[in-house]
Amino acid sequence: LFQDTYISLVAGMFKCELATYIFYSSLGITIWNTILISLGYILFDNLNVLEGIYGKYKMLILIAFSVSIIVIFMRKLLLKKR
């Protein structure tokens, strides 16, 4: 999913240690999968509704993530110039 693909970029930007990254990534993946599996089980009969909701929020998350990355890079550039 989204966070699994791009979170490594953020971890690399902040020079996160590999063991710490693996621990928190595994924890996040476990929580995220538990939530999605539970929602899928509960909303099995209304899967179209779930897909529509997820589709809407996926784009918002992508936009928020992109803006965050831009802000982080701009901040780093501005701090470097000082």
Side-chain angles (χ1 to χ4, degrees):
L1 290 174
F2 171 78
Q3 78 280 6
D4 298 339
T5 304
Y6 298 106
I7 196 65
S8 58
L9 297 173
V10 177
M13 283 178 15
F14 289 102
K15 299 188 187 318
C16 182
E17 292 182 22
L18 182 60
T20 303
Y21 168 73
I22 290 172
F23 172 75
Y24 285 112
S25 183
S26 298
L27 182 64
I29 290 167
T30 301
I31 292 169
W32 186 246
N33 284 339
T34 301
I35 290 169
L36 288 179
I37 290 168
S38 297
L39 282 174
Y41 180 77
I42 292 168
L43 299 174
F44 180 73
D45 292 332
N46 298 315
L47 192 55
N48 292 337
V49 174
L50 181 61
E51 288 174 344
I53 292 170
Y54 178 72
K56 287 179 188 176
Y57 289 115
K58 182 177 179 179
M59 186 55 69
L60 290 175
I61 292 170
L62 179 61
I63 291 169
F65 179 78
S66 299
V67 169
S68 299
I69 294 297
I70 291 169
V71 168
I72 290 169
F73 279 129
M74 294 300 290
R75 185 173 178 215
K76 283 187 174 234
L77 285 174
L78 291 174
L79 290 176
K80 241 183 199 182
K81 289 183 179 182
R82 289 183 182 187

